[in-house]
Amino acid sequence: MSGKRIVLAIDDNMMQLDMFGKMLGDKYDVRTANSASHALNYLNSDKADIILLDIEMPNISGFDFLLDIRKIPSYMDVPIIIVSGTVGPGFTDQAKAASAYTVLHKPVKTDDLIATIEEALAVKA
């Protein structure tokens, strides 16, 4: 056991998941899921301290995932950071209304991502 906080990154783009691993792997234990359904399966058996979530995914969108995960008692308060290329009027408001901690727009800088994760984990603690 590494003692590192677990970050679950959910994105249908494998290159983005690899990027999260490279950006965060020195500081966090990064787990990945390439779909919302894969992430839900993971969360049924393992725990994550924080979740990075893409919105535009096949089958189950990020917003639908948010609604599903908030029904799981142990994940009601886990910070979820949306990392998405989607930018449009009201998107951030919609994300916060769906219980996301915040929204970061792709491409995200490593320093910004780590600072946001640290802030979210500190608020949760």
Side-chain angles (χ1 to χ4, degrees):
M1 183 113 191
S2 69
K4 295 179 180 180
R5 304 295 289 269
I6 296 172
V7 175
L8 176 61
I10 308 164
D11 199 303
D12 60 324
N13 182 324
M14 294 305 292
M15 289 184 1
Q16 183 65 52
L17 292 175
D18 289 342
M19 181 72 70
F20 284 138
K22 290 175 184 164
M23 294 168 78
L24 303 172
D26 289 341
K27 188 165 180 68
Y28 305 100
D29 182 354
V30 180
R31 312 287 174 90
T32 60
N34 63 2
S35 69
S37 58
H38 181 209
L40 288 170
N41 287 337
Y42 170 85
L43 294 172
N44 283 326
S45 61
D46 289 303
K47 184 77 172 137
D49 296 300
I50 194 160
I51 296 170
L52 305 179
L53 176 64
D54 185 29
I55 291 298
E56 299 288 329
M57 293 188 293
N59 301 321
I60 302 173
S61 77
F63 285 124
D64 289 338
F65 174 83
L66 273 170
L67 296 173
D68 289 343
I69 194 171
R70 292 305 188 206
K71 295 175 187 172
I72 302 169
S74 58
Y75 283 95
M76 293 175 94
D77 296 327
V78 170
I80 298 175
I81 299 170
I82 293 177
V83 183
S84 180
T86 301
V87 180
F91 180 80
T92 300
D93 292 337
Q94 182 182 6
K96 290 202 175 197
S99 76
Y101 176 75
T102 195
V103 174
L104 297 175
H105 297 284
K106 294 177 185 174
V108 64
K109 294 179 182 172
T110 302
D111 292 344
D112 293 339
L113 182 57
I114 290 173
T116 303
I117 290 170
E118 289 296 311
E119 175 186 283
L121 291 171
V123 168
K124 180 189 173 212

